[in-house]
Amino acid sequence: MQHLDERKNQPPDLLDIFLKNENFSSVEILDQVCMLYLAGHETPASTLTMSLYLVASIPSIQNDLHTALSSFSLGGCDRELNKLILSIFSETFRLTPPFLCLYVNMLR
């Protein structure tokens, strides 16, 4: 509750809403915050891990990515590279949706 007093003149964030809601116990608030943290951290980490794994397992995609990255410059936009990266992530999401990655990691 001290958190609320320190932020009186600022717009409420999600934690403020949880703290003001009398229906949530301290344990439930902690559970919600942990879940949001995991959703914001574990999903991108799992997706990136699976994307790198898929690229490593398909030599032709690995070669295409290497070729596209070797000609990449920071000064401009490379549409072909963007399409390739989007395709890699789209295929990763198709093969291993984020909730599945989280579930597999929980089983380890």
Side-chain angles (χ1 to χ4, degrees):
M1 296 308 280
Q2 180 184 353
H3 170 77
L4 291 174
D5 293 336
E6 294 170 359
R7 294 180 37 85
K8 280 185 181 176
N9 297 327
Q10 297 178 1
D13 60 14
L14 197 53
L15 181 57
D16 294 333
I17 294 168
F18 283 144
L19 290 173
K20 287 180 185 175
N21 187 338
E22 295 176 5
N23 295 326
F24 283 118
S25 69
S26 297
V27 172
E28 290 171 324
I29 291 172
L30 182 61
D31 286 344
Q32 291 298 317
V33 170
C34 288
M35 191 278 307
L36 290 170
Y37 173 77
L38 283 174
H41 175 269
E42 189 63 31
T43 301
S46 298
T47 302
L48 186 56
T49 300
M50 290 307 298
S51 296
L52 292 173
Y53 171 77
L54 290 173
V55 168
S57 2
I58 307 170
S60 62
I61 298 295
Q62 195 176 60
N63 290 336
D64 292 346
L65 187 59
H66 182 268
T67 303
L69 287 171
S70 63
S71 63
F72 176 72
S73 70
L74 292 176
C77 176
D78 187 340
R79 292 185 189 276
E80 291 304 314
L81 177 60
N82 289 346
K83 276 177 48 178
L84 180 59
I85 292 172
L86 180 61
S87 297
I88 291 168
F89 280 114
S90 295
E91 188 66 3
T92 301
F93 284 129
R94 186 184 74 78
L95 293 173
T96 55
F99 69 87
L100 181 61
C101 292
L102 183 60
Y103 180 71
V104 169
N105 286 337
M106 287 171 56
L107 293 177
R108 291 183 186 168

